[in-house]
Amino acid sequence: MASNEDKPAVKEEENAGSWKDAIFNPRTGEFCGRTAKSWGLILLFYLVFYAFLAGMFVLTIWVMLMTLDDYVPRYRDRVPHPGLVIRPKELDMLINRSQPVQYTRYVQTLESFLQQYNDTEQERNEVCTAGDYFDQEGEVGEPKKACQFKRSSLSRCSGLSDSTFGFAEGRPCVLLKMNRIIGLKPRGEPYVNCTAKRDTPVQMQYFPSEGRFDKMYFPYYGNKLHERYVQPLVAVKLLLNKEDYNTELTIECRIEGSDLRNNDDRDKFLGRVTFRVTVVE
Amino acid sequence: KYPYRVTCFLSHFYIFCGLTNAKAAEYLIRDGPNCLTPPPTTPEWVKFCRQLFGGFSILLWTGAILCFLAYAIQAATEDEPAGDNLYLGIVLSVVVIVTGCFSYFQEAKSSKIMESFKNMVPQQALVIREGEKMTINAEEVVAGDLVEVKGGDRIPADLRVVSAHGCKVDNSSLTGESEPQSRSPDCTHDNPLETRNVAFFSTNCVEGTARGIVVCTGDRTVMGRIATLTSGLESGKTPIAKEIEHFIHLITGVAVFLGITFFILAVFLGYSWLEAVIFLIGIIVANVPEGLLATVTVCLTLTAKRMAKKNCLVKNLEAVETLGSTSTICSDKTGTLTQNRMTVAHMWFDNQIHEADTTEDQSGASFDKTSITWGALARVAALCNRAVFKAGQDQLPILKRDTAGDASESALLKCIELSCGSVKQIREKNKKVAEIPFNSTNKYQLSVHETEDPNDNRYLLVMKGAPERILDRCSTIIIQGKEQPMDEEMKESFQNAYMELGGLGERVLGFCHLLMPEDQYPKGFAFDCDDVNFTTENLCFVGLMSMIDPPRAAVPDAVGKCRSAGIKVIMVTGDHPITAKAIAKGVGIISEGNETVEDIASRLNIPVSQVNPRDAKACVIHGTDLKDLSQDQMDDILRNHTEIVFARTSPQQKLIIVEGCQRLVSHTDTHTLTHTHGAIVAVTGDGVNDSPALKKADIGVAMGISGSDVSKQAADMILLDDNFASIVTGVEEGRLIFDNLKKSIAYTLTSNIPEITPFLLFIIVNIPLPLGTITILCIDLGTDMVPAISLAYEAAESDIMKRQPRNPTRDKLVNERLISIAYGQIGMIQALGGFFSYFVILAENGFLPSILVGIRLNWDDRSCNDLEDSYGQQWTYEQRKIVEFTCHTAFFVSIVVVQWADVIICKTRRNSVFQQGMKNKILIFGLFEETALAAFLSYTPGMDVALRMFPLKPSWWFCAVPYSVLIFVYDEIRKLLIRRNPGGWVERETYY
């Protein structure tokens, strides 16, 4: 019994020591309470253990990826309705007519955005029948054709005739596009309708006419099959007058005339978009 | 100095008249009421604050404050600050306050039970003032009052006895002596505790009457001084409090290390300083296990309740575990180890020692009752005996009945009543005609009776007293019913028996009788007891009877269990060494075959000084010797003897012994700089004299029935049935809860890693946040709770009463190995399980892992509403946030799934789950409960708005299952290796 009691006492003596010994104990060669060998073993263990875990993780991820379709995501129920976004990607636009430097960045954004809609580019795409869905049957993995959307169809907002998209004259163009969603086929005749939130209406001009998104641009087949696909655009030209200058205009655009949602409480960009424009002379 | 030597200048007049009422009133104002000042009770709000800010709560408070700080920084710098930190801060505060209230009310409940112990009936005292006897409230007694006490009274103050008639007092609550002491006006000793002429406040007068002058009242009494000594002592932290402190250090270390590392990383990655600070705080707070405080509190409460059912009432929740860590128990003798009731243990007649049954339930051995000698002995014992049963107890078992009279006479009364039937009838048949009561000069008591036989006109003289005195008066002895002359052989045989019984620590009485010859003492002879006119010599010796306060039945077994559990049991008593040693041997504190130095000396017939003290494992130390011992000698004794009895100890000495025991382990460390904990010492006791030791001990255990109020106040735990054996339950429960708390903490800590890593990866590789604050709280305060608590119900893996007590310096509640397992191994697997379901959900919705890295800036940008996924689809901010929150929900569900495996592996630390079984019903309930809760949170309509949790597709529940299986298999292999290679590398590195 007595010898039993002595043992722990001896152990404690080893454990005990000043704090310097706790970091490095020169007598036992212990660094932070472990010898080099002990450190080596534990580090090796963790190395092997984590390597195994990493392997297992990669394996499960790989198996999971194997089960996925290459062209269509498994679930699309989280994106049932498309969002509506504007170009330039700025919800607060301040346009100083007299200072081109100030609005050039908008112009540049629009210009580069419209590069893919250049007529030369688009002429390589199909000419589709307006007003009909462009359904394409075919084998799995067969590339799909895209309908052309020519930049010129945006006419005054195409940047072709007016390279400043109306910014210089104080009647700016804003491009609206609907988010791409695989397999989306809007019912009815979707068109964009913009209203200014004030008592007197603001004159606006839509391109293509009536701000329609033509059905021939639907459905979308995903970026792997539908490589040349371009979204249809709607340009809105705000026909502002002198009296509209220097005040902030809040404009809301909605997709109307179809089953696409535009009144979600939480998501303010679902089928609608609100932006503010201030034009300064 | 104690004014016990009141010189007798007092006139006779005073002794009859006492104080005047005016004087008494004056003294009362001067000295205050005659009662003990209650120890300064901690105000309720202080107790409440202690619960709110003690131990673990500090960690949570710090977390809450950091959260508010982070929110303040965000509010000051951002337009739309995320509310997460604010909510987290509020939740943390609520958790601390709720658990604080919970444990406060829990302890309040215990202290209410304590209150009920207090004797609410005010004590009365009979004082003589202005020559008139009056009964007043004991509180109004003042110094100088003349007080009269009689058998059954409680002494109202310290009295200097001025006259006494057969007065005996029971000092056991003060000194621990179980035998009543006689009181007389003579000053017999310098020490007030030893002298005969002082009766002490709050002791009991057992029999006789006495008149005394009050010398001290209230706190100035001996009792008051001990009580004051107690309240001056600081009791240290409980072992579990120390363990929790150590745990907090560890957890804070890990949190700060992680926080600082990722702060530096964040700065390198180009985050702004403020962002990095928010991350730092976030990481530190994420390390706080929010649910653990509640879990630990509930686990301790459950154990406390379980112990209360088994008659251990725990006053302080944290003390629940202390008995489990105890390595030494210093036990009082009287009342704790013994029944505190004199009982006839042995008899000597027919030249033979007979053993009487001393067990509480009369299950022990019996002896031959047919001998004529026994009949004679029983008759003497019944007749020469003034004790009677109190009225109205006929339905009670004989041993439970109350008696009026001296303790040893009561013992004889009960013994005879048990073996020969009604003593009352014997006495009625043998009418008493004369009696000489016991006095200290004669040392005998005699009475003369008529005989049972109406035709026999002789008188029967019966006598009992100190054996040697009785023997001197005898010329014959009765053997097998025949009178024989008392020869030398018989005398020697008597001496041997007397020595043997005395050596057992028993009080021996001799009995003799004489049928008086009719010619000398005819019927109607007038016996004169004052001037003895009859023979008291040449009697016939009948036999000896010896009495002891016998050990409780369950104690030897309990002591044995303590010993096999590696707990040293030391007896500390105020009683005589011989009695103490006898009881120690009886209950196994000195085990069979172990000898003291004195035993060896007498066996080898050599002087004590020649015996090598190392040969003796046992020792009995007298209080007066203790006084002369230096600290080193004391330590030496405690270290080198396994079986120790301290006798005749004073309250201060008890304190010294406890301190010595507490020093025991740490002694060898004194030359190093580190501060180590010593042995953990439990003290049991019931008397006021025990209370300083009770307070000083790591855990003081008081007796619920016989214990004095002072001792109960000083104690941390109360044995409601006064049974030492209940301590074993306490030890068992304490050890079990320590093991189970380890498991519970291992379980709870593990889920910390899957909770922190999402945030770390969010910072480092800019992926959408995989797990949000709300879901973390749902895990910590929701799904993890019941399984963590259920581990408190887990059965022990092996016989916990067969192993050594834990070493407080080495066996920590939470050690590096536990952290390594929980954080480094199981936690990591869990995190991978969570991440896997996160990647699955994102991939199945269109965001493949390859595009996720770095996507965070656009992902969290509210103005970016056309974020493109891997398939070319474009997402608005809200749409992808719903996916993100679905990921949070799935990550949360995955943690629940991997925690299934975790709770199952945490059931055992060494055994396989297959060996342990799944008998823990609460745990099975916990598994279902957490799953149901997770499903509820995910599928209840409205949760998407309330907690931002979304319904999961059924397949997503199974993502983490492979990882759950991996956890189970990995840990089973680990435990298999531990069992296969005891002391091997796996055990050294992973056995927590």
Side-chain angles (χ1 to χ4, degrees):
Chain A
M1 197 67 192
S3 62
N4 267 359
E5 274 169 26
D6 287 342
K7 266 186 217 158
V10 174
K11 261 268 171 71
E12 271 150 36
E13 223 166 303
E14 282 172 14
N15 288 350
S18 67
W19 60 272
K20 268 184 197 159
D21 278 358
I23 293 171
F24 181 73
N25 186 337
R27 277 169 287 131
T28 53
E30 282 176 354
F31 176 70
C32 288
R34 284 175 182 278
T35 59
K37 193 184 161 208
S38 164
W39 272 115
L41 272 174
I42 193 80
L43 290 179
L44 181 71
F45 164 76
Y46 271 109
L47 192 71
V48 172
F49 181 71
Y50 287 149
F52 168 76
L53 284 189
M56 166 141 179
F57 187 67
V58 169
L59 182 78
T60 48
I61 291 280
W62 181 75
V63 168
M64 181 267 294
L65 290 179
M66 285 291 103
T67 66
L68 293 182
D69 191 301
D70 278 347
Y71 310 111
V72 185
R74 175 163 294 158
Y75 301 116
R76 278 171 287 155
D77 53 353
R78 293 296 183 215
V79 270
H81 299 284
L84 191 65
V85 292
I86 59 161
R87 287 289 181 276
K89 200 178 174 178
E90 197 96 8
L91 295 177
D92 263 311
M93 279 188 278
L94 179 74
I95 301 150
N96 196 333
R97 270 185 70 186
S98 48
Q99 285 188 323
V101 194
Q102 194 268 335
Y103 59 77
T104 358
R105 58 191 178 104
Y106 299 131
V107 175
Q108 274 166 4
T109 331
L110 288 178
E111 184 57 44
S112 65
F113 175 70
L114 284 175
Q115 280 307 307
Q116 50 179 330
Y117 291 91
N118 280 342
D119 290 8
T120 47
E121 188 77 14
Q122 286 302 316
E123 270 155 13
R124 288 159 57 194
N125 284 345
E126 295 290 307
V127 182
C128 308
T129 349
D132 284 335
Y133 296 125
F134 187 43
D135 278 317
Q136 302 176 65
E137 305 294 320
E139 283 166 41
V140 175
E142 194 187 286
K144 309 290 187 213
K145 293 168 184 145
C147 293
Q148 41 173 263
F149 185 95
K150 284 187 175 168
R151 184 173 173 173
S152 53
S153 64
L154 300 176
S155 80
R156 285 173 72 189
C157 283
S158 66
L160 299 173
S161 50
D162 174 7
S163 63
T164 64
F165 296 93
F167 282 85
E169 52 172 338
R171 295 181 155 187
C173 280
V174 173
L175 298 182
L176 290 155
K177 72 185 178 90
M178 207 159 79
N179 278 351
R180 289 194 296 259
I181 292 173
I182 294 174
L184 179 78
K185 286 184 188 176
R187 296 216 191 104
E189 297 289 327
Y191 66 94
V192 170
N193 182 30
C194 296
T195 47
K197 284 190 175 168
R198 66 170 197 191
D199 302 336
T200 51
V202 173
Q203 286 287 309
M204 286 179 229
Q205 202 176 9
Y206 300 96
F207 307 101
S209 58
E210 292 172 37
R212 267 183 213 292
F213 288 117
D214 201 294
K215 276 185 176 174
M216 65 181 175
Y217 298 104
F218 301 96
Y220 172 54
Y221 286 100
N223 56 4
K224 290 216 179 60
L225 292 178
H226 228 156
E227 242 174 291
R228 296 201 53 81
Y229 178 83
V230 286
Q231 286 151 283
L233 301 175
V234 168
V236 181
K237 194 169 177 70
L238 305 173
L239 302 174
L240 303 179
N241 296 317
K242 270 215 163 135
E243 49 269 31
D244 300 321
Y245 291 171
N246 296 328
T247 52
E248 192 183 76
L249 279 176
T250 303
I251 292 160
E252 189 188 54
C253 299
R254 287 170 183 263
I255 301 172
E256 310 263 13
S258 73
D259 61 339
L260 301 177
R261 275 198 86 162
N262 58 8
N263 57 356
D264 193 275
D265 287 338
R266 209 174 248 282
D267 196 344
K268 303 280 188 234
F269 292 90
L270 210 58
R272 59 176 159 164
V273 62
T274 307
F275 57 94
R276 285 171 295 274
V277 179
T278 315
V279 179
V280 181
E281 196 138 16
Chain B
K1 184 153 186 330
Y2 189 76
Y4 66 96
R5 277 199 167 192
V6 180
T7 36
C8 256
F9 61 86
L10 306 154
S11 66
H12 266 273
F13 174 76
Y14 175 79
I15 289 182
F16 288 108
C17 297
L19 289 176
T20 60
N21 280 326
K23 266 273 186 247
E26 185 193 320
Y27 288 161
L28 188 61
I29 290 164
R30 186 190 68 190
D31 297 338
N34 173 34
C35 60
L36 298 184
T37 320
T41 47
T42 347
E44 290 301 304
W45 67 269
V46 172
K47 280 193 203 162
F48 186 63
C49 286
R50 257 186 221 155
Q51 296 295 349
L52 271 191
F53 301 106
F56 210 83
S57 315
I58 290 294
L59 191 64
L60 294 198
W61 279 124
T62 317
I65 290 166
L66 285 178
C67 281
F68 291 130
L69 185 70
Y71 181 74
I73 295 176
Q74 282 174 317
T77 52
E78 294 170 28
D79 296 334
E80 277 182 76
D84 285 10
N85 276 318
L86 183 65
Y87 304 143
L88 187 57
I90 292 170
V91 169
L92 282 175
S93 320
V94 169
V95 167
V96 189
I97 292 168
V98 168
T99 31
C101 292
F102 180 78
S103 41
Y104 170 75
F105 285 116
Q106 203 53 42
E107 291 194 358
K109 243 194 246 167
S110 305
S111 51
K112 242 182 223 157
I113 301 177
M114 285 285 302
E115 303 263 313
S116 69
F117 285 132
K118 281 190 187 156
N119 190 2
M120 287 300 160
V121 185
Q123 289 286 311
Q124 302 285 311
L126 187 69
V127 297
I128 298 162
R129 285 182 186 167
E130 299 186 350
E132 275 176 53
K133 287 190 182 180
M134 50 204 283
T135 305
I136 58 166
N137 225 325
E139 287 196 359
E140 288 162 23
V141 171
V142 296
D145 254 333
L146 196 56
V147 174
E148 228 178 67
V149 289
K150 58 178 191 308
D153 283 356
R154 203 167 173 206
I155 313 264
D158 281 4
L159 302 180
R160 156 81 159 75
V161 177
V162 291
S163 68
H165 297 284
C167 174
K168 283 195 176 177
V169 288
D170 175 7
N171 273 356
S172 64
S173 77
L174 190 64
T175 61
E177 278 169 297
S178 48
E179 283 180 37
Q181 323 257 299
S182 64
R183 284 294 173 258
S184 62
D186 325 309
C187 178
T188 55
H189 207 284
D190 276 349
N191 185 343
L193 281 169
E194 302 274 348
T195 184
R196 287 270 159 118
N197 63 340
V198 180
F200 297 104
F201 174 52
S202 93
T203 60
N204 284 305
C205 179
V206 186
E207 62 177 65
T209 57
R211 201 174 258 211
I213 297 162
V214 174
V215 286
C216 291
T217 56
D219 288 334
R220 289 166 299 281
T221 60
V222 170
M223 195 69 93
R225 285 170 195 216
I226 295 172
T228 329
L229 177 65
T230 310
S231 61
L233 285 173
E234 287 278 319
S235 47
K237 274 185 196 154
T238 58
I240 198 77
K242 287 178 194 158
E243 291 304 321
I244 285 175
E245 198 172 282
H246 177 249
F247 168 56
I248 291 176
H249 288 164
L250 263 180
I251 229 48
T252 320
V254 172
V256 171
F257 171 75
L258 269 179
I260 301 280
T261 310
F262 281 86
F263 175 77
I264 295 168
L265 248 160
V267 172
F268 269 108
L269 287 173
Y271 288 99
S272 73
W273 283 96
L274 271 179
E275 274 176 311
V277 168
I278 303 259
F279 289 158
L280 171 76
I281 293 176
I283 292 169
I284 291 177
V285 172
N287 265 292
V288 175
E290 290 89 355
L292 204 52
L293 172 64
T295 310
V296 170
T297 312
V298 172
C299 286
L300 290 178
T301 311
L302 286 174
T303 308
K305 285 198 164 166
R306 210 152 41 182
M307 286 167 91
K309 257 190 212 156
K310 295 178 181 170
N311 290 320
C312 291
L313 180 76
V314 183
K315 277 168 65 184
N316 169 8
L317 263 194
E318 285 179 346
V320 163
E321 187 275 331
T322 315
L323 264 184
S325 317
T326 299
S327 53
T328 312
I329 298 177
C330 294
S331 178
D332 182 36
K333 179 180 81 73
T334 314
T336 316
L337 299 172
T338 66
Q339 302 169 16
N340 198 13
R341 174 171 61 201
M342 273 293 178
T343 310
V344 175
H346 291 96
M347 295 161 218
W348 181 76
F349 57 84
D350 290 347
N351 199 7
Q352 208 179 341
I353 291 179
H354 299 266
E355 203 171 312
D357 187 0
T358 54
T359 54
E360 286 142 285
D361 52 357
Q362 288 298 300
S363 57
S366 190
F367 57 95
D368 178 25
K369 288 174 183 163
T370 54
S371 167
I372 300 169
T373 323
W374 161 242
L377 182 59
R379 188 172 61 181
V380 179
L383 296 178
C384 189
N385 188 335
R386 296 169 59 170
V388 287
F389 287 113
K390 287 185 183 164
Q393 306 186 84
D394 294 339
Q395 72 289 353
L396 284 176
I398 292 166
L399 284 176
K400 293 263 164 67
R401 293 186 199 166
D402 267 346
T403 56
D406 178 271
S408 35
E409 293 203 327
S410 304
L412 291 172
L413 175 70
K414 284 179 181 173
C415 174
I416 304 301
E417 182 96 7
L418 270 175
S419 47
C420 301
S422 172
V423 171
K424 210 172 161 193
Q425 279 177 16
I426 301 177
R427 288 184 189 162
E428 275 165 9
K429 281 184 200 157
N430 302 273
K431 285 223 176 64
K432 195 188 282 179
V433 289
E435 181 177 40
I436 303 178
F438 183 88
N439 69 50
S440 47
T441 43
N442 290 343
K443 299 219 164 161
Y444 66 78
Q445 170 185 0
L446 76 76
S447 55
V448 181
H449 300 258
E450 292 168 3
T451 56
E452 287 170 22
D453 186 354
N455 302 323
D456 189 349
N457 285 332
R458 289 178 295 177
Y459 285 103
L460 175 69
L461 183 146
V462 288
M463 181 191 272
K464 79 158 194 270
E468 65 279 5
R469 294 294 177 94
I470 299 291
L471 190 73
D472 288 347
R473 295 173 183 274
C474 291
S475 56
T476 57
I477 181 165
I478 184 169
I479 301 285
Q480 305 293 357
K482 296 199 181 62
E483 255 185 80
Q484 293 178 3
M486 178 71 84
D487 51 16
E488 281 309 310
E489 200 187 331
M490 262 309 145
K491 280 191 179 166
E492 181 153 348
S493 157
F494 160 87
Q495 275 303 334
N496 289 341
Y498 181 29
M499 292 298 287
E500 188 174 341
L501 295 179
L504 292 174
E506 298 175 5
R507 193 195 308 175
V508 191
L509 290 175
F511 297 83
C512 61
H513 68 190
L514 179 72
L515 276 171
M516 299 176 120
E518 201 180 353
D519 49 346
Q520 286 176 43
Y521 308 99
K523 196 160 174 66
F525 182 85
F527 291 96
D528 185 350
C529 293
D530 293 329
D531 185 15
V532 182
N533 61 350
F534 51 90
T535 180
T536 56
E537 307 271 318
N538 293 325
L539 309 174
C540 172
F541 194 84
V542 181
L544 298 172
M545 285 175 102
S546 65
M547 280 141 289
I548 197 160
D549 178 12
R552 287 163 177 276
V555 171
D557 190 38
V559 171
K561 276 188 185 163
C562 284
R563 183 151 297 151
S564 65
I567 301 169
K568 195 167 171 178
V569 184
I570 295 176
M571 182 194 277
V572 184
T573 177
D575 220 332
H576 295 276
I578 297 170
T579 322
K581 189 174 158 191
I583 293 294
K585 283 195 165 164
V587 299
I589 286 179
I590 295 179
S591 51
E592 233 169 281
N594 272 351
E595 295 174 304
T596 63
V597 177
E598 292 78 14
D599 288 337
I600 296 176
S602 68
R603 176 166 55 85
L604 300 175
N605 226 345
I606 52 171
V608 171
S609 54
Q610 285 181 19
V611 180
N612 179 5
R614 296 282 158 122
D615 290 344
K617 289 269 193 290
C619 71
V620 178
I621 292 158
H622 197 279
T624 47
D625 300 337
L626 196 59
K627 228 179 279 171
D628 307 326
L629 290 180
S630 70
Q631 187 169 311
D632 284 345
Q633 282 171 310
M634 177 82 181
D635 291 352
D636 198 52
I637 288 171
L638 289 172
R639 218 182 2 262
N640 294 321
H641 293 90
T642 49
E643 303 176 343
I644 310 172
V645 171
F646 291 98
R648 299 303 271 171
T649 46
S650 66
Q652 274 90 347
Q653 284 172 334
K654 285 196 179 191
L655 205 57
I656 291 168
I657 293 165
V658 171
E659 282 169 345
C661 292
Q662 286 176 328
R663 256 198 323 267
L664 206 56
V665 169
S666 58
H667 174 78
T668 48
D669 290 326
T670 44
H671 59 278
T672 64
L673 294 170
T674 48
H675 177 82
T676 51
H677 312 292
I680 291 167
V681 180
V683 171
T684 72
D686 55 354
V688 176
N689 58 332
D690 300 319
S691 46
L694 288 174
K695 186 81 176 276
K696 183 73 204 175
D698 295 284
I699 177 162
V701 183
M703 299 297 139
I705 304 168
S706 62
S708 52
D709 287 346
V710 182
S711 71
K712 281 180 202 160
Q713 254 154 17
D716 305 295
M717 184 185 272
I718 291 159
L719 299 184
L720 296 174
D721 58 355
D722 282 19
N723 195 340
F724 183 80
S726 306
I727 290 180
V728 177
T729 314
V731 172
E732 205 168 347
E733 291 290 347
R735 288 187 175 186
L736 187 59
I737 195 61
F738 189 81
D739 282 6
N740 285 349
L741 269 184
K742 260 188 184 187
K743 295 172 182 177
S744 213
I745 291 176
Y747 171 79
T748 315
L749 282 189
T750 307
S751 61
N752 247 4
I753 287 297
E755 286 163 8
I756 298 172
T757 40
F759 189 56
L760 299 184
L761 287 191
F762 166 79
I763 298 172
I764 302 296
V765 291
N766 285 319
I767 54 174
L769 188 64
L771 186 69
T773 313
I774 292 171
T775 30
I776 289 179
L777 290 176
C778 285
I779 296 165
D780 283 348
L781 301 174
T783 57
D784 265 3
M785 278 300 222
V786 178
I789 291 167
S790 77
L791 285 170
Y793 287 96
E794 196 56 39
E797 280 175 73
S798 55
D799 194 346
I800 40 178
M801 293 307 280
K802 286 265 155 61
R803 61 177 195 223
Q804 294 292 305
R806 75 184 179 93
N807 180 332
T809 41
R810 280 181 305 151
D811 306 335
K812 291 289 178 194
L813 181 65
V814 175
N815 50 33
E816 293 74 10
R817 294 181 296 283
L818 189 148
I819 299 277
S820 164
I821 281 274
Y823 278 10
Q825 295 159 42
I826 308 297
M828 285 298 173
I829 305 179
Q830 293 198 332
L832 290 187
F835 275 107
F836 178 60
S837 36
Y838 164 81
F839 282 124
V840 166
I841 287 176
L842 284 177
E844 291 190 341
N845 275 293
F847 293 92
L848 297 184
S850 47
I851 65 156
L852 287 179
V853 173
I855 206 174
R856 182 179 78 90
L857 284 179
N858 285 327
W859 185 280
D860 285 342
D861 181 359
R862 276 174 194 280
S863 66
C864 174
N865 281 292
D866 54 351
L867 186 73
E868 204 170 311
D869 67 15
S870 309
Y871 291 88
Q873 303 189 97
Q874 291 169 322
W875 297 68
T876 65
Y877 178 79
E878 284 297 330
Q879 283 173 331
R880 58 182 189 261
K881 276 291 159 182
I882 288 178
V883 173
E884 185 187 319
F885 288 126
T886 311
C887 285
H888 292 184
T889 315
F891 207 112
F892 157 73
V893 164
S894 300
I895 292 179
V896 169
V897 171
V898 286
Q899 284 286 69
W900 290 343
D902 193 28
V903 74
I904 290 172
I905 63 162
C906 282
K907 275 164 68 73
T908 57
R909 293 188 294 145
R910 182 183 291 271
N911 288 352
S912 161
V913 173
F914 299 105
Q915 291 169 315
Q916 179 83 352
M918 290 291 287
K919 285 173 219 125
N920 188 342
K921 290 203 187 73
I922 311 283
L923 189 138
I924 292 170
F925 166 76
L927 285 175
F928 283 105
E929 185 265 359
E930 65 171 330
T931 314
L933 181 60
F936 174 84
L937 289 174
S938 169
Y939 294 113
T940 309
M943 280 298 170
D944 52 344
V945 185
L947 295 178
R948 305 245 67 188
M949 293 175 90
F950 288 83
L952 296 185
K953 299 196 186 299
S955 64
W956 292 338
W957 281 75
F958 297 98
C959 295
V961 169
Y963 292 90
S964 206
V965 173
L966 176 67
I967 289 173
F968 182 77
V969 173
Y970 171 75
D971 209 61
E972 276 297 317
I973 294 174
R974 181 180 72 85
K975 284 186 274 202
L976 181 73
L977 290 176
I978 289 178
R979 291 196 301 275
R980 283 282 166 83
N981 305 309
W985 184 84
V986 181
E987 174 160 357
R988 270 181 285 126
E989 293 294 350
T990 67
Y991 182 68
Y992 54 90

